[in-house]
Structure formats: C-alpha cells, structure tokens
Short mmCIF file of all heavy atoms in Angstrom, two decimals:
data_model
loop_
_atom_site.label_atom_id
_atom_site.label_comp_id
_atom_site.label_asym_id
_atom_site.label_seq_id
_atom_site.Cartn_x
_atom_site.Cartn_y
_atom_site.Cartn_z
N GLY A 1 -57.03 -5.41 4.26
CA GLY A 1 -57.76 -4.87 5.41
C GLY A 1 -59.23 -4.95 5.25
O GLY A 1 -59.96 -4.81 6.19
N ASP A 2 -59.68 -5.14 4.01
CA ASP A 2 -61.23 -5.32 3.70
C ASP A 2 -61.63 -6.78 3.96
O ASP A 2 -60.80 -7.69 3.73
CB ASP A 2 -61.51 -5.05 2.35
CG ASP A 2 -61.22 -3.44 2.06
OD1 ASP A 2 -61.35 -2.64 2.94
OD2 ASP A 2 -60.94 -3.19 0.80
N GLU A 3 -62.90 -6.91 4.42
CA GLU A 3 -63.40 -8.25 4.58
C GLU A 3 -64.52 -8.39 3.60
O GLU A 3 -65.31 -7.46 3.39
CB GLU A 3 -63.96 -8.55 6.05
CG GLU A 3 -62.72 -8.57 6.96
CD GLU A 3 -63.20 -8.83 8.44
OE1 GLU A 3 -64.38 -8.66 8.71
OE2 GLU A 3 -62.40 -9.13 9.23
N VAL A 4 -64.72 -9.57 3.08
CA VAL A 4 -65.86 -9.84 2.15
C VAL A 4 -66.55 -11.16 2.59
O VAL A 4 -65.98 -12.19 2.69
CB VAL A 4 -65.32 -9.98 0.70
CG1 VAL A 4 -66.55 -10.25 -0.30
CG2 VAL A 4 -64.58 -8.67 0.27
N ILE A 5 -67.90 -11.00 2.74
CA ILE A 5 -68.66 -12.20 3.28
C ILE A 5 -69.16 -12.95 2.11
O ILE A 5 -69.73 -12.38 1.07
CB ILE A 5 -69.91 -11.71 4.11
CG1 ILE A 5 -69.23 -10.95 5.39
CG2 ILE A 5 -70.72 -12.89 4.48
CD1 ILE A 5 -70.31 -10.40 6.22
N THR A 6 -68.94 -14.25 2.01
CA THR A 6 -69.49 -15.27 0.95
C THR A 6 -69.79 -16.52 1.60
O THR A 6 -69.72 -16.72 2.77
CB THR A 6 -68.39 -15.26 -0.11
OG1 THR A 6 -69.02 -15.96 -1.26
CG2 THR A 6 -67.12 -16.11 0.39
N THR A 7 -70.23 -17.43 0.77
CA THR A 7 -70.72 -18.82 1.21
C THR A 7 -69.57 -19.82 0.97
O THR A 7 -68.77 -19.60 0.06
CB THR A 7 -71.90 -19.16 0.45
OG1 THR A 7 -72.24 -20.56 0.73
CG2 THR A 7 -71.63 -19.13 -1.10
N PRO A 8 -69.44 -20.78 1.88
CA PRO A 8 -68.52 -21.84 1.52
C PRO A 8 -69.05 -22.92 0.60
O PRO A 8 -68.14 -23.65 0.04
CB PRO A 8 -68.24 -22.52 2.95
CG PRO A 8 -69.53 -22.37 3.60
CD PRO A 8 -70.01 -21.10 3.16
N ILE A 9 -70.29 -22.87 0.23
CA ILE A 9 -70.76 -23.92 -0.60
C ILE A 9 -70.85 -23.28 -2.06
O ILE A 9 -71.89 -22.78 -2.52
CB ILE A 9 -72.27 -24.33 -0.21
CG1 ILE A 9 -72.19 -25.08 1.15
CG2 ILE A 9 -72.84 -25.30 -1.29
CD1 ILE A 9 -71.30 -26.36 1.10
N THR A 10 -69.70 -23.32 -2.68
CA THR A 10 -69.55 -22.77 -3.97
C THR A 10 -68.16 -23.15 -4.44
O THR A 10 -67.39 -23.81 -3.79
CB THR A 10 -69.45 -21.21 -3.77
OG1 THR A 10 -69.27 -20.54 -5.12
CG2 THR A 10 -68.26 -20.68 -2.96
N PHE A 11 -67.91 -22.90 -5.75
CA PHE A 11 -66.61 -23.21 -6.31
C PHE A 11 -65.66 -22.14 -5.77
O PHE A 11 -65.94 -21.10 -5.41
CB PHE A 11 -66.63 -23.01 -7.90
CG PHE A 11 -65.37 -23.48 -8.57
CD1 PHE A 11 -64.91 -24.67 -8.36
CD2 PHE A 11 -64.59 -22.56 -9.26
CE1 PHE A 11 -63.63 -25.14 -9.01
CE2 PHE A 11 -63.42 -22.88 -9.88
CZ PHE A 11 -62.94 -24.18 -9.69
N ALA A 12 -64.41 -22.61 -5.60
CA ALA A 12 -63.28 -21.82 -4.95
C ALA A 12 -63.12 -20.43 -5.52
O ALA A 12 -62.79 -19.49 -4.72
CB ALA A 12 -62.04 -22.54 -4.96
N ALA A 13 -63.60 -20.11 -6.76
CA ALA A 13 -63.33 -18.80 -7.38
C ALA A 13 -64.05 -17.76 -6.65
O ALA A 13 -63.67 -16.59 -6.69
CB ALA A 13 -63.82 -18.86 -8.86
N SER A 14 -65.18 -18.07 -5.98
CA SER A 14 -66.00 -17.00 -5.33
C SER A 14 -65.21 -16.29 -4.32
O SER A 14 -65.24 -15.03 -4.12
CB SER A 14 -67.25 -17.53 -4.63
OG SER A 14 -68.03 -18.22 -5.66
N SER A 15 -64.45 -17.13 -3.54
CA SER A 15 -63.58 -16.37 -2.52
C SER A 15 -62.13 -16.23 -2.91
O SER A 15 -61.50 -15.29 -2.49
CB SER A 15 -63.58 -17.39 -1.22
OG SER A 15 -63.11 -18.57 -1.50
N ASN A 16 -61.56 -17.06 -3.85
CA ASN A 16 -60.28 -16.82 -4.39
C ASN A 16 -60.13 -15.47 -4.92
O ASN A 16 -59.11 -14.73 -4.82
CB ASN A 16 -60.00 -17.81 -5.55
CG ASN A 16 -59.61 -19.16 -5.01
OD1 ASN A 16 -59.51 -19.37 -3.75
ND2 ASN A 16 -59.41 -20.09 -5.89
N SER A 17 -61.21 -14.94 -5.57
CA SER A 17 -61.15 -13.57 -6.24
C SER A 17 -61.03 -12.50 -5.13
O SER A 17 -60.59 -11.43 -5.53
CB SER A 17 -62.41 -13.46 -7.10
OG SER A 17 -62.52 -14.36 -8.05
N VAL A 18 -61.57 -12.80 -3.96
CA VAL A 18 -61.26 -11.88 -2.82
C VAL A 18 -59.87 -11.81 -2.50
O VAL A 18 -59.28 -10.71 -2.36
CB VAL A 18 -62.21 -12.27 -1.74
CG1 VAL A 18 -61.91 -11.31 -0.45
CG2 VAL A 18 -63.72 -12.17 -2.06
N LEU A 19 -59.34 -12.91 -2.43
CA LEU A 19 -57.88 -13.09 -2.07
C LEU A 19 -56.99 -12.42 -3.12
O LEU A 19 -56.01 -11.77 -2.82
CB LEU A 19 -57.39 -14.45 -1.87
CG LEU A 19 -58.01 -15.25 -0.72
CD1 LEU A 19 -57.78 -16.80 -0.78
CD2 LEU A 19 -57.59 -14.71 0.57
N TYR A 20 -57.35 -12.53 -4.41
CA TYR A 20 -56.57 -11.87 -5.48
C TYR A 20 -56.38 -10.48 -5.28
O TYR A 20 -55.41 -9.97 -5.68
CB TYR A 20 -57.25 -12.05 -6.91
CG TYR A 20 -57.42 -13.52 -7.38
CD1 TYR A 20 -58.41 -13.80 -8.32
CD2 TYR A 20 -56.66 -14.61 -6.96
CE1 TYR A 20 -58.64 -15.11 -8.77
CE2 TYR A 20 -56.80 -15.82 -7.36
CZ TYR A 20 -57.82 -16.16 -8.27
OH TYR A 20 -57.95 -17.49 -8.88
N CYS A 21 -57.43 -9.83 -4.65
CA CYS A 21 -57.41 -8.35 -4.49
C CYS A 21 -56.77 -8.01 -3.03
O CYS A 21 -56.65 -6.88 -2.67
CB CYS A 21 -58.78 -7.82 -4.45
SG CYS A 21 -59.57 -7.97 -6.20
N GLY A 22 -56.29 -9.02 -2.27
CA GLY A 22 -55.65 -8.78 -1.03
C GLY A 22 -56.70 -8.57 0.12
O GLY A 22 -56.19 -8.39 1.23
N ALA A 23 -57.92 -8.82 -0.18
CA ALA A 23 -58.81 -8.76 0.97
C ALA A 23 -59.03 -10.11 1.57
O ALA A 23 -58.54 -11.09 1.11
CB ALA A 23 -60.12 -8.23 0.40
N THR A 24 -59.88 -10.27 2.59
CA THR A 24 -60.08 -11.43 3.38
C THR A 24 -61.51 -12.02 3.24
O THR A 24 -62.47 -11.29 3.52
CB THR A 24 -59.84 -11.21 4.85
OG1 THR A 24 -58.49 -10.70 5.02
CG2 THR A 24 -59.97 -12.51 5.67
N PRO A 25 -61.61 -13.26 2.73
CA PRO A 25 -63.04 -13.89 2.68
C PRO A 25 -63.42 -14.18 4.13
O PRO A 25 -62.71 -14.71 4.93
CB PRO A 25 -62.79 -15.11 1.89
CG PRO A 25 -61.41 -14.99 1.31
CD PRO A 25 -60.64 -14.15 2.10
N VAL A 26 -64.70 -13.95 4.34
CA VAL A 26 -65.42 -14.37 5.58
C VAL A 26 -66.53 -15.26 5.17
O VAL A 26 -67.47 -14.80 4.39
CB VAL A 26 -65.84 -13.17 6.39
CG1 VAL A 26 -66.63 -13.65 7.70
CG2 VAL A 26 -64.63 -12.30 6.85
N PHE A 27 -66.56 -16.46 5.75
CA PHE A 27 -67.68 -17.44 5.33
C PHE A 27 -68.85 -17.35 6.27
O PHE A 27 -68.75 -17.51 7.48
CB PHE A 27 -67.18 -18.76 5.26
CG PHE A 27 -66.07 -18.94 4.23
CD1 PHE A 27 -64.70 -18.95 4.63
CD2 PHE A 27 -66.41 -19.21 2.92
CE1 PHE A 27 -63.73 -19.09 3.69
CE2 PHE A 27 -65.36 -19.21 1.93
CZ PHE A 27 -64.01 -19.20 2.26
N ALA A 28 -70.07 -17.11 5.68
CA ALA A 28 -71.25 -17.14 6.37
C ALA A 28 -71.92 -18.47 6.12
O ALA A 28 -71.72 -19.17 4.98
CB ALA A 28 -72.16 -16.00 5.94
N ASP A 29 -72.70 -18.94 6.92
CA ASP A 29 -73.42 -20.23 6.76
C ASP A 29 -74.63 -20.16 5.80
O ASP A 29 -74.97 -19.07 5.49
CB ASP A 29 -73.94 -20.74 8.13
CG ASP A 29 -73.86 -22.27 8.24
OD1 ASP A 29 -73.76 -23.01 7.22
OD2 ASP A 29 -74.02 -22.73 9.38
N ILE A 30 -75.08 -21.35 5.41
CA ILE A 30 -76.15 -21.38 4.49
C ILE A 30 -77.44 -21.63 5.16
O ILE A 30 -77.51 -21.99 6.34
CB ILE A 30 -75.94 -22.52 3.48
CG1 ILE A 30 -75.76 -23.87 4.25
CG2 ILE A 30 -74.60 -22.29 2.58
CD1 ILE A 30 -75.94 -25.08 3.22
N ASP A 31 -78.51 -21.32 4.46
CA ASP A 31 -79.92 -21.73 4.90
C ASP A 31 -80.00 -23.21 4.51
O ASP A 31 -79.83 -23.57 3.34
CB ASP A 31 -80.92 -20.94 4.11
CG ASP A 31 -82.37 -21.40 4.45
OD1 ASP A 31 -82.59 -22.51 4.45
OD2 ASP A 31 -83.14 -20.46 4.68
N TYR A 32 -80.24 -24.12 5.41
CA TYR A 32 -80.12 -25.54 5.24
C TYR A 32 -81.24 -25.96 4.30
O TYR A 32 -81.12 -27.13 3.71
CB TYR A 32 -80.17 -26.25 6.62
CG TYR A 32 -79.83 -27.76 6.39
CD1 TYR A 32 -78.44 -28.07 6.25
CD2 TYR A 32 -80.70 -28.73 6.44
CE1 TYR A 32 -77.98 -29.40 6.07
CE2 TYR A 32 -80.24 -30.09 6.27
CZ TYR A 32 -79.00 -30.39 6.12
OH TYR A 32 -78.57 -31.67 5.94
N ALA A 33 -82.35 -25.26 4.09
CA ALA A 33 -83.44 -25.70 3.25
C ALA A 33 -83.13 -25.28 1.70
O ALA A 33 -83.37 -26.07 0.84
CB ALA A 33 -84.78 -25.03 3.74
N THR A 34 -82.58 -24.10 1.56
CA THR A 34 -82.42 -23.63 0.21
C THR A 34 -80.88 -23.80 -0.34
O THR A 34 -80.68 -23.78 -1.53
CB THR A 34 -82.71 -22.22 0.15
OG1 THR A 34 -81.74 -21.31 0.84
CG2 THR A 34 -84.13 -21.76 0.56
N TYR A 35 -80.05 -23.98 0.55
CA TYR A 35 -78.57 -24.24 0.25
C TYR A 35 -77.87 -22.94 -0.02
O TYR A 35 -76.66 -22.84 -0.28
CB TYR A 35 -78.31 -25.24 -0.85
CG TYR A 35 -78.97 -26.55 -0.60
CD1 TYR A 35 -79.11 -27.41 -1.73
CD2 TYR A 35 -79.66 -26.95 0.48
CE1 TYR A 35 -79.72 -28.63 -1.63
CE2 TYR A 35 -80.19 -28.23 0.68
CZ TYR A 35 -80.32 -29.07 -0.40
OH TYR A 35 -80.97 -30.23 -0.32
N ASN A 36 -78.63 -21.84 -0.15
CA ASN A 36 -77.95 -20.45 -0.29
C ASN A 36 -77.58 -19.79 0.90
O ASN A 36 -78.10 -20.15 2.04
CB ASN A 36 -78.95 -19.59 -1.12
CG ASN A 36 -78.88 -19.67 -2.64
OD1 ASN A 36 -77.88 -20.14 -3.20
ND2 ASN A 36 -79.92 -19.36 -3.36
N ILE A 37 -76.79 -18.81 0.72
CA ILE A 37 -76.22 -18.12 1.93
C ILE A 37 -77.38 -17.60 2.76
O ILE A 37 -78.42 -17.07 2.26
CB ILE A 37 -75.29 -16.94 1.43
CG1 ILE A 37 -74.52 -16.42 2.59
CG2 ILE A 37 -75.94 -15.90 0.67
CD1 ILE A 37 -73.24 -15.50 2.15
N ASP A 38 -77.18 -17.58 4.04
CA ASP A 38 -78.44 -17.22 4.98
C ASP A 38 -78.16 -15.76 5.35
O ASP A 38 -77.10 -15.33 5.94
CB ASP A 38 -78.31 -18.10 6.18
CG ASP A 38 -79.44 -17.83 7.16
OD1 ASP A 38 -80.14 -16.84 7.09
OD2 ASP A 38 -79.52 -18.61 8.14
N PRO A 39 -79.09 -14.82 5.14
CA PRO A 39 -78.97 -13.50 5.44
C PRO A 39 -78.76 -13.25 6.86
O PRO A 39 -77.99 -12.27 7.34
CB PRO A 39 -80.36 -12.76 5.00
CG PRO A 39 -80.83 -13.69 3.89
CD PRO A 39 -80.34 -15.05 4.33
N LYS A 40 -79.29 -14.13 7.81
CA LYS A 40 -78.96 -13.90 9.31
C LYS A 40 -77.54 -14.23 9.58
O LYS A 40 -76.92 -13.51 10.49
CB LYS A 40 -79.85 -14.97 9.99
CG LYS A 40 -81.43 -14.69 9.89
CD LYS A 40 -82.16 -15.62 10.81
CE LYS A 40 -83.70 -15.43 10.79
NZ LYS A 40 -84.21 -15.76 9.42
N SER A 41 -76.92 -15.09 8.83
CA SER A 41 -75.67 -15.49 9.16
C SER A 41 -74.64 -14.39 8.60
O SER A 41 -73.59 -14.02 9.18
CB SER A 41 -75.10 -16.77 8.52
OG SER A 41 -73.80 -17.18 8.81
N ILE A 42 -75.14 -13.74 7.49
CA ILE A 42 -74.36 -12.59 6.96
C ILE A 42 -74.37 -11.39 7.96
O ILE A 42 -73.27 -10.87 8.33
CB ILE A 42 -74.95 -12.06 5.69
CG1 ILE A 42 -74.91 -12.98 4.57
CG2 ILE A 42 -74.38 -10.68 5.32
CD1 ILE A 42 -75.61 -12.56 3.21
N GLU A 43 -75.41 -11.21 8.60
CA GLU A 43 -75.48 -10.04 9.70
C GLU A 43 -74.56 -10.41 10.74
O GLU A 43 -73.87 -9.55 11.29
CB GLU A 43 -76.94 -9.96 10.15
CG GLU A 43 -77.88 -9.14 9.25
CD GLU A 43 -77.89 -7.64 9.64
OE1 GLU A 43 -76.87 -7.17 10.10
OE2 GLU A 43 -78.86 -7.06 9.05
N GLU A 44 -74.54 -11.63 11.12
CA GLU A 44 -73.68 -11.97 12.30
C GLU A 44 -72.15 -11.78 11.99
O GLU A 44 -71.33 -11.64 12.86
CB GLU A 44 -73.92 -13.46 12.72
CG GLU A 44 -75.34 -13.68 13.28
CD GLU A 44 -75.64 -15.25 13.41
OE1 GLU A 44 -74.84 -15.97 12.96
OE2 GLU A 44 -76.82 -15.52 13.85
N LYS A 45 -71.95 -11.96 10.75
CA LYS A 45 -70.42 -11.81 10.27
C LYS A 45 -69.86 -10.48 10.06
O LYS A 45 -68.66 -10.32 9.78
CB LYS A 45 -70.16 -12.76 9.06
CG LYS A 45 -70.63 -14.23 9.23
CD LYS A 45 -69.61 -14.98 10.08
CE LYS A 45 -69.97 -16.47 10.16
NZ LYS A 45 -68.92 -17.30 10.88
N ILE A 46 -70.72 -9.41 9.93
CA ILE A 46 -70.34 -8.15 9.63
C ILE A 46 -69.54 -7.49 10.75
O ILE A 46 -69.87 -7.55 11.92
CB ILE A 46 -71.63 -7.20 9.26
CG1 ILE A 46 -72.20 -7.73 7.97
CG2 ILE A 46 -71.18 -5.78 9.17
CD1 ILE A 46 -73.50 -7.06 7.67
N THR A 47 -68.42 -6.85 10.28
CA THR A 47 -67.50 -6.08 11.22
C THR A 47 -67.33 -4.67 10.55
O THR A 47 -67.72 -4.47 9.51
CB THR A 47 -66.26 -6.71 11.39
OG1 THR A 47 -65.52 -6.71 10.26
CG2 THR A 47 -66.52 -8.20 11.77
N ASP A 48 -66.62 -3.85 11.20
CA ASP A 48 -66.23 -2.60 10.63
C ASP A 48 -65.36 -2.68 9.47
O ASP A 48 -65.12 -1.73 8.79
CB ASP A 48 -65.62 -1.58 11.75
CG ASP A 48 -64.45 -2.18 12.30
OD1 ASP A 48 -64.01 -3.23 12.02
OD2 ASP A 48 -63.89 -1.47 13.25
#
C-alpha cells in the first residue's frame, strides 16, 4: 500500500528493493541537464 518515488535511470536494485518490501515504485523523471531525479517531478508524483 506504500508508494516510493525513485528514478528510472538507475540499476534495477533501486526500485527492486521497494518491491521486495511489498511497496510500489513510482518513477519520477530526471533533470535532462544533470541526469539526476528532478525535484519538480517528485512533487508531481506524490500521493497520500
């Protein structure tokens, strides 16, 4: 029932570990300049 926000540009372990615990990975987009997860996209993906 929990959701965890992460990036798709990573090795699978970053999100697999969320699945190991029964939670759901939610993928936020990256900043195209730095290649790191974009805080604005994180905000857009947040739910209760």
